Amino acid sequence: MHFFSSKFDSLRGIHFEDFWKIYGFNRRVSGGFCFIQIFNRNGSRELLGEAVTTGRIALEGISKNYADLEVLRDLNLEVNRGEFVTLIGPSGSGKSTVFNILSGLEPASAGTVKVEGFGNERAFAYMPQRDALLPWRNILDNVILGQELQGVARKKARAEALSQLPFFGLEGFEKNYPFELSGGMRQRAALLRTVLTHCPVLLLDEPFGALDALTRAQLQQWLGELRTRLNRTILFITHDVEEALLLSDRVYVLSPRPAHVVLELPVDLDRSGPGELVTSPRFVELKAQLLAALKSEGAL
Amino acid sequence: MTRSLRLARQILPPVLLVAAFVALWQLYVTLSGIRQTILPGPWRVVEALLNFWDVISDNLVYTLVEATLGFSTALAIGFAFAVLLDYSPVLRRAVYPILVASQTVPMVAIAPLLIIWFGYDIVPKIIVVWLVCFFPIVVAGVDGFASTDPETTRLFRSLQATRLQIFWKLRLPSALPFIFSGIRIAITYAIGGAVLGEYVGAEKGLGIFIQRSKNSFRNDLIFAAVLVTAVASIALFLLVTIVQHRVMPWYYRQQAGRKSPKKK
Ligand SMILES: Nc1ncnc2c1ncn2[C@@H]1O[C@H](COP(=O)(O)OP(=O)(O)O)[C@@H](O)[C@H]1O
Ligand SMILES: [Mg+2]
């Protein structure tokens, strides 16, 4: 928690959950952040100040079985607000299953998912592996799907979507049908659809997996730049080590099924520095670490 | 390619084929000297059609009314049925095999029974049409709903779509190409079904007209009635295709030689 008032200095050590028991509170969501107004509980209802949560998603001891198939075993992950975290692991290890659990499509067999500091809003927006654009809708009506299903008026949703199209390289294509677009454009449209749900956490499941190498490189670059503008927490799945390093703040390496965390790797790269990132010594070093972790699990 | 050119390329081959067939037919009748009461030549058929147009068109209206009434009830009930079977897997497993088995019952066996039960008026004909149209529509509907992409369904669920939203915004549009295929099959059966129902016993309609023509050895009139039946069926088929173009423009744009994607 970042507190805006010095009155709370003494609170820094208190665990998040205990905090709610001691003080009255009110949530206010603004600018993508959840502000919390804190009141005294002792009857005076005095407003003590405002705090903004850093926000945190924690998967604690998550296990998942499909009948006899054990997919996840005691998985522990943590994602902080605004962070870009990548799950990397062999095919069929259970990465998509993690997303299914987070987005509420599947219940976990055991363990808990804690979503702290994201307010009452729905936290997760899921972007499937394939674009899943509706062939009977043009791009504009495809990207507003999330809001439309929430009951937002189409007109309003369309206006907002139109203002976002340029940032997604889709300007002038709003009236085109998905099949009239290239693979890269369809993925960008699918991402815009995910972004427009206004959920604070984006779950991106191998969004560039089906693209050719060149388009893929372009989109990686683009997503890296877009990220700052989006101001969202992003959970990303890939089985491409370089992609993971290029984009993430932190990488979790998962084992083959049943998946558990093999390695947690903070990506401390200077992305603003001069020169080619992928050939920098630190990048090469991190890449070697990731590959070693994958290899040790027989994933490579 | 321009629109009219494409249209010409589509229409020309069947037209030429029919023209060639008619020419051969006329040639055979003229050269072989076969009696026109056995096999009338195409010219004779056209003559008969023109001479008897008043009677034939009168009967045609009857047949068309029966066909459209039977077809539209089959469409409405068949669609509702498909939705129901899509909604309940248990019901689907129970009903689907029965539905398929029901198609082995020959309509010529049922039609007379219907006359016995419902009399000579329009009702038994509508039922015959209904019976032949119902099956293709239900099957197309059920298959169409089942063709919905599972990944897109998961996307909808992750967006917290209600069942109703999933139906209207996903399952129904996914099923539309299938449903229209079913409708096109059904509509081509519809007039044939009506004619069959009339053939067994009726006061008016092309079926009973054919029956009477046969009894008075007017083969030319039989051919004329068959011609009218065929043209009416094709017209209904085209009508459905036009409606389909209106309802699913995206489908045809996609089919029309997937234009080279505009890369950016
Ligand atoms: N609904 C399901 N029912 C049964 N098995 C499933 C289901 N979903 C996924 N699985 C299985 O779980 C395993 C992990 O799948 P997934 O999470 O999609 O892997 P990944 O995304 O890492 O490639 C696979 O072996 C897959 O066959
Ligand atoms: Mg997967």
Side-chain angles (χ1 to χ4, degrees):
Chain A
M1 290 237 164
H2 297 309
F3 294 106
F4 289 161
S5 163
S6 57
K7 285 182 194 172
F8 291 99
D9 281 351
S10 59
L11 292 174
R12 293 200 181 242
I14 296 178
H15 193 264
F16 190 85
E17 275 115 320
D18 296 333
F19 180 77
W20 306 113
K21 293 179 196 139
I22 302 169
Y23 295 95
F25 62 92
N26 206 6
R27 291 178 198 199
R28 180 169 73 81
V29 178
S30 153
F33 283 89
C34 178
F35 292 86
I36 296 163
Q37 299 176 311
I38 299 149
F39 300 91
N40 228 331
R41 275 224 161 166
N42 59 16
S44 68
R45 301 284 297 166
E46 178 199 5
L47 180 63
L48 296 173
E50 254 192 345
V52 59
T53 58
T54 46
R56 189 175 76 106
I57 305 157
L59 284 77
E60 295 176 356
I62 295 286
S63 298
K64 176 72 187 175
N65 304 308
Y66 288 112
D68 289 341
L69 189 75
E70 192 182 7
V71 181
L72 305 176
R73 178 188 290 171
D74 190 26
L75 189 72
N76 294 290
L77 299 175
E78 224 183 271
V79 185
N80 296 309
R81 183 154 206 140
E83 218 180 1
F84 193 121
V85 172
T86 295
L87 307 184
I88 192 165
S91 225
S93 60
K95 303 182 296 297
S96 298
T97 304
V98 173
F99 279 14
N100 291 337
I101 290 170
L102 287 177
S103 54
L105 292 173
E106 296 278 355
S109 308
T112 49
V113 177
K114 286 191 177 154
V115 184
E116 295 167 350
F118 286 100
N120 293 324
E121 40 188 333
R122 205 161 53 82
F124 300 103
Y126 157 74
M127 172 173 165
Q129 231 157 324
R130 286 183 305 105
D131 56 57
L133 294 169
L134 305 176
W136 52 86
R137 287 189 175 209
N138 63 31
I139 291 302
L140 185 61
D141 286 344
N142 255 296
V143 299
I144 63 166
L145 182 70
Q147 286 186 293
E148 187 186 321
L149 293 176
Q150 297 296 308
V152 176
R154 277 199 194 198
K155 202 172 160 186
K156 184 167 166 253
R158 282 193 186 123
E160 191 197 350
L162 274 173
S163 72
Q164 292 292 326
L165 285 179
F167 302 106
F168 287 76
L170 295 167
E171 201 174 22
F173 289 89
E174 59 268 17
K175 290 273 178 287
N176 283 95
Y177 288 102
F179 67 89
E180 294 171 312
L181 269 55
S182 67
M185 294 176 82
R186 281 204 298 272
Q187 284 313 112
R188 281 182 302 209
L191 183 62
L192 177 54
R193 180 188 60 203
T194 318
V195 167
L196 286 174
T197 57
H198 292 290
C199 296
V201 186
L202 309 182
L203 306 175
L204 311 182
D205 193 345
E206 297 189 38
F208 309 142
L211 301 175
D212 60 273
L214 193 64
T215 313
R216 192 181 175 121
Q218 283 169 351
L219 286 205
Q220 285 167 357
Q221 167 100 23
W222 166 77
L223 181 60
E225 288 159 9
L226 183 74
R227 214 200 115 187
T228 17
R229 229 184 61 78
L230 284 180
N231 182 30
R232 307 283 174 98
T233 308
I234 297 176
L235 252 170
F236 192 85
I237 289 177
T238 183
H239 49 230
D240 180 333
V241 173
E242 289 203 355
E243 184 168 277
L245 290 175
L246 278 171
L247 294 168
S248 333
D249 300 322
R250 212 145 44 81
V251 178
Y252 282 104
V253 179
L254 301 186
S255 68
R257 207 176 54 226
H260 54 270
V261 175
V262 179
L263 174 72
E264 182 196 340
L265 185 73
V267 184
D268 46 356
L269 286 169
D270 180 15
R271 292 194 172 79
S272 58
E276 197 61 34
L277 190 64
V278 288
T279 51
S280 72
R282 185 63 188 145
F283 189 95
V284 175
E285 216 173 285
L286 291 170
K287 187 175 166 184
Q289 279 185 40
L290 282 183
L291 289 172
L294 283 165
K295 204 169 265 171
S296 73
E297 288 295 320
L300 286 179
Chain B
M1 212 183 325
T2 67
R3 210 185 135 87
S4 50
L5 205 68
R6 220 174 30 235
L7 206 67
R9 268 173 64 124
Q10 251 184 10
I11 288 177
L12 222 55
V15 167
L16 286 178
L17 205 64
V18 169
F21 175 74
V22 169
L24 275 176
W25 175 10
Q26 182 68 60
L27 209 64
Y28 174 76
V29 171
T30 316
L31 292 181
S32 71
I34 190 169
R35 272 188 304 163
Q36 297 256 354
T37 43
I38 304 289
L39 178 66
W43 182 243
R44 176 74 172 262
V45 172
V46 172
E47 264 181 353
L49 179 62
L50 293 176
N51 290 337
F52 282 77
W53 177 246
D54 285 352
V55 189
I56 290 177
S57 61
D58 200 26
N59 286 304
L60 172 66
V61 170
Y62 256 74
T63 306
L64 274 179
V65 168
E66 292 161 6
T68 40
L69 282 179
F71 167 79
S72 23
T73 41
L75 179 58
I77 300 175
F79 179 76
F81 218 74
V83 173
L84 201 69
L85 294 193
D86 179 55
Y87 183 79
S88 159
V90 179
L91 207 62
R92 182 163 64 240
R93 280 197 296 276
V95 171
Y96 209 85
I98 300 174
L99 222 67
V100 175
S102 75
Q103 292 307 295
T104 59
V105 179
M107 205 46 73
V108 277
I110 296 179
L113 287 176
L114 291 174
I115 302 273
I116 295 169
W117 294 335
F118 298 101
Y120 277 79
D121 67 353
I122 196 166
V123 176
K125 284 84 182 176
I126 292 176
I127 295 177
V128 171
V129 176
W130 189 89
L131 285 173
V132 294
C133 292
F134 182 69
F135 181 73
I137 289 170
V138 173
V139 169
V142 170
D143 288 356
F145 290 132
S147 79
T148 309
D149 177 42
E151 188 138 308
T152 313
T153 310
R154 297 159 63 76
L155 172 74
F156 269 69
R157 279 176 47 212
S158 83
L159 292 168
Q160 268 145 47
T162 61
R163 267 199 100 130
L164 222 58
Q165 283 176 322
I166 290 183
F167 176 78
W168 285 113
K169 293 178 196 285
L170 178 59
R171 292 189 86 78
L172 183 59
S174 300
L176 272 183
F178 288 78
I179 292 176
F180 268 104
S181 298
I183 288 178
R184 288 200 287 192
I185 292 171
I187 201 91
T188 40
Y189 286 175
I191 292 194
V195 170
L196 177 73
E198 293 160 354
Y199 195 79
V200 178
E203 274 146 24
K204 275 203 154 156
L206 287 174
I208 199 66
F209 178 80
I210 290 173
Q211 170 89 280
R212 286 182 187 136
S213 305
K214 187 197 77 177
N215 291 343
S216 48
F217 305 104
R218 289 297 302 266
N219 283 7
D220 53 345
L221 286 178
I222 297 180
F223 274 97
V226 169
L227 181 65
V228 168
T229 313
V231 169
S233 291
I234 292 170
L236 287 180
F237 185 88
L238 287 179
L239 193 70
V240 170
T241 309
I242 290 169
V243 172
Q244 190 176 4
H245 270 269
R246 277 292 162 92
V247 176
M248 314 169 27
W250 52 274
Y251 186 73
Y252 287 94
R253 263 171 84 169
Q254 196 165 1
Q255 300 266 303
R258 295 168 182 263
K259 287 179 228 157
S260 58
K262 302 168 197 170
K263 293 241 162 66
K264 195 172 172 185

